[in-house]
Amino acid sequence: MIRHITRIGLLITVIAILIVIVLNHSNDDETKVTTDSSTHASHVQLKNKIPSPYKQIHLIIDSEKTKSYTVQVMKPVTTSETINQEIESWLETEKQLFIQSLPEDTKELASLKVNVSIEPETKQYQRLIFQIDKSINQKGTELKKVFNIDLEAEKMLSLDDFLDINDSLLQTFLKHGIELLQVEDDITLSENSQQSILSSTNNWEWFMSQEGLTFIFDGTTLTDDNNHPLLVTIPFKALYLHIHDSMNQYVELSEKQQEERKMAIEEEEQRILIAKREAERKAQEKAEAERQQSESTSNVKGKYVALTFDDGPSAEVTPRVLEILKQYNAKATFFMLGSQVSYHPEIAKRVADAGHEIGNHTEQHQDLTKLGPDGIRREINSTSDKIANVTGVRPYLVRPPYGAHNENVRHVAANQGDSIILWSVDSLDWKSRNAAAINREIGQQLTSGAIVLMHDIHPTTADALPELMKTLHQQGYQFVTVSQLLKIQGLSGVGPIYGSSK
Ligand code: NI
């Protein structure tokens, strides 16, 4: 990076010497002197054409001196009128900005100097790097501006002409470049200045060379301790995958770089291929697992039951229920309240992680038939959002509180693809609050394919479970989730779905 600064420095020096030569021959035929008496008493404008070492570009020195300032602008004139106009208009703006910025009480003669270095990369790509030195009241600033031009096509080149890369990736590379700059050149940058560099993508000054993509940061963004602009180069090594094939008309990669690029592309293709195969393998595994799952559920022989637990999760009862279910490797369905999920998200997650199904029992346990469609949607969706947030799975089974549903409730559910799930066996656990009574109630009503209603908020329900599980297990019942039961019974849709009853 230091090398760059040196090279530009040299070019500028060469050009500066040329200016001196030309200015010393101010009797030259090309010199034009005008006097403008309307604004300044001694307003002198000089235009000098100086020889340039470049065939397609020559330079004109434009100088102006008034009582309060001097301006000396080196203006490149190319073979393209379009490009000339663009450069000229930029220079004119710079000059006007400088004049407007002059304070009333200029103590010293202010000055604006614009020098340019021309770096031809290939026949089609020239870099014009302007250095703008302003001095106002002894306060100096040094700025850089780059024009990347294609004289044959008569156009300014943009990054898109070289690279196929988006801003955010570029920012990542640049960030890495800045880190390297800090390490290699021992420059410390505040978090703020790093942020300002990275955020102002439109103001980036850059050029391409055989070394890669170089950004120039100046007084407005980033300078070293002595206020010199800094250069950050992103080497081609990082850019190989993002280079347009057509870039070689502007920058020719060395043989070694071309070889490296070929290898980088091959490696990338290989990586994509492996990732594709991996994705295919995973998709196959998933399909196979789903096939086995549906086979196992459709092959349920004998008796099965879907145990469901409402109104939780609760801190006291839900963990006990989970523990007993686990002993029988049983899966159940928990219809949770959104408000309870807010209180105990970690328990909701434990339920899901244990492989149980989670359904939606609404947010506030209101009678949905007393609400309008918007209210129904809010009650259902805020709960589904919470469950999805906590478990990563959005429930599609809805159990309306009190089993209450009407046209509106069914319509809202149908519109968003939810199924309304009721029950065929009520354990009456909420009423009896007695383990033996709960077991008796279920025992009297139970049939294969039933959906059993319980509540994981009453400790007596947890008390009843060991006996219930033991008995049902001995009777040959398999414990399935509501979704599995729907599959086995070939049921789906809005419902309401009750499960089998006697
Ligand atoms: Ni309830």
Side-chain angles (χ1 to χ4, degrees), residues 310-311 361 365 401-402 455:
D310 286 14
D311 297 356
H361 196 37
H365 209 274
Y402 318 103
H455 297 83

Side-chain angles (χ1 to χ4, degrees), residues 162-302:
F162 297 85
L163 302 174
D164 183 11
I165 194 166
N166 60 33
D167 272 1
S168 85
L169 188 56
L170 210 49
Q171 279 173 329
T172 311
F173 286 146
L174 190 50
K175 205 170 169 191
H176 186 63
I178 292 169
E179 279 162 14
L180 278 180
L181 184 75
Q182 298 193 76
V183 176
E184 286 179 3
D185 299 349
D186 198 23
I187 287 160
T188 358
L189 286 181
S190 70
E191 195 60 35
N192 268 354
S193 51
Q194 289 197 42
Q195 274 314 318
S196 79
I197 292 166
L198 292 170
S199 59
S200 59
T201 54
N202 288 336
N203 303 326
W204 287 349
E205 296 298 333
W206 58 272
F207 61 83
M208 297 288 280
S209 69
Q210 274 212 324
E211 287 177 44
L213 169 61
T214 298
F215 289 95
I216 306 181
F217 298 107
D218 60 24
T220 53
T221 45
L222 173 65
T223 52
D224 68 8
D225 292 342
N226 300 319
N227 228 20
H228 292 309
L230 283 176
L231 279 73
V232 178
T233 299
I234 301 173
F236 274 121
K237 210 171 272 180
L239 300 171
Y240 285 139
L241 297 176
H242 313 281
I243 294 172
H244 284 315
D245 281 332
S246 56
M247 188 193 81
N248 64 8
Q249 59 189 321
Y250 303 127
V251 178
E252 276 173 38
L253 294 177
S254 71
E255 236 165 69
K256 186 167 166 259
Q257 286 174 322
Q258 288 180 26
E259 192 56 35
E260 281 175 354
R261 183 183 173 216
K262 219 177 109 195
M263 275 168 61
I265 291 171
E266 278 169 9
E267 271 171 31
E268 177 66 5
E269 281 169 352
Q270 192 64 19
R271 201 190 58 75
I272 290 170
L273 195 68
I274 289 170
K276 202 177 141 206
R277 286 202 192 124
E278 181 68 7
E280 281 170 1
R281 195 180 58 76
K282 279 198 176 141
Q284 272 175 7
E285 273 177 13
K286 197 174 163 231
E288 176 63 12
E290 274 169 9
R291 197 184 58 75
Q292 283 178 5
Q293 164 80 9
S294 77
E295 224 167 51
S296 74
T297 46
S298 60
N299 280 352
V300 168
K301 293 196 177 77

Side-chain angles (χ1 to χ4, degrees), residues 291-477:
R291 197 184 58 75
Q292 283 178 5
Q293 164 80 9
S294 77
E295 224 167 51
S296 74
T297 46
S298 60
N299 280 352
V300 168
K301 293 196 177 77
K303 300 188 278 190
Y304 56 93
V305 59
L307 302 181
T308 66
F309 298 91
D310 286 14
D311 297 356
S314 80
E316 194 191 340
V317 182
T318 311
R320 289 181 59 197
V321 171
L322 288 179
E323 191 50 44
I324 302 158
L325 291 174
K326 196 176 152 196
Q327 286 168 24
Y328 289 87
N329 197 21
K331 297 291 175 263
T333 306
F334 292 75
F335 287 96
M336 295 184 177
L337 290 171
S339 52
Q340 287 300 111
V341 174
S342 293
Y343 288 132
H344 307 295
E346 73 293 344
I347 298 177
K349 183 153 189 346
R350 267 176 64 188
V351 173
D353 288 349
H356 300 293
E357 180 160 41
I358 297 184
N360 182 327
H361 196 37
T362 76
E363 182 68 36
Q364 300 285 354
H365 209 274
Q366 296 186 61
D367 182 343
L368 295 184
T369 62
K370 303 228 160 74
L371 302 177
D374 283 346
I376 296 167
R377 251 189 300 276
R378 260 199 307 278
E379 275 290 299
I380 293 175
N381 289 339
S382 74
T383 303
S384 286
D385 290 345
K386 283 178 187 176
I387 292 169
N389 262 339
V390 170
T391 68
V393 182
R394 195 177 177 83
Y396 76 102
L397 304 179
V398 175
R399 175 169 284 166
Y402 318 103
H405 58 91
N406 61 9
E407 185 74 46
N408 276 341
V409 175
R410 292 188 293 272
H411 195 72
V412 168
N415 266 347
Q416 46 190 42
D418 289 335
S419 299
I420 294 171
I421 306 297
L422 300 179
W423 57 88
S424 56
V425 175
D426 188 347
S427 69
L428 299 177
D429 60 344
W430 54 275
K431 199 162 141 191
S432 69
R433 309 281 179 103
N434 177 296
I438 293 167
N439 272 307
R440 202 165 46 242
E441 195 66 48
I442 296 173
Q444 281 170 8
Q445 297 185 49
L446 194 66
T447 183
S448 181
I451 298 176
V452 180
L453 170 66
M454 289 181 278
H455 297 83
D456 54 335
I457 51 169
H458 307 304
T460 39
T461 301
D463 294 342
L465 267 188
E467 179 65 26
L468 179 74
M469 298 298 291
K470 195 176 144 197
T471 313
L472 297 186
H473 181 70
Q474 280 168 357
Q475 292 175 2
Y477 274 99

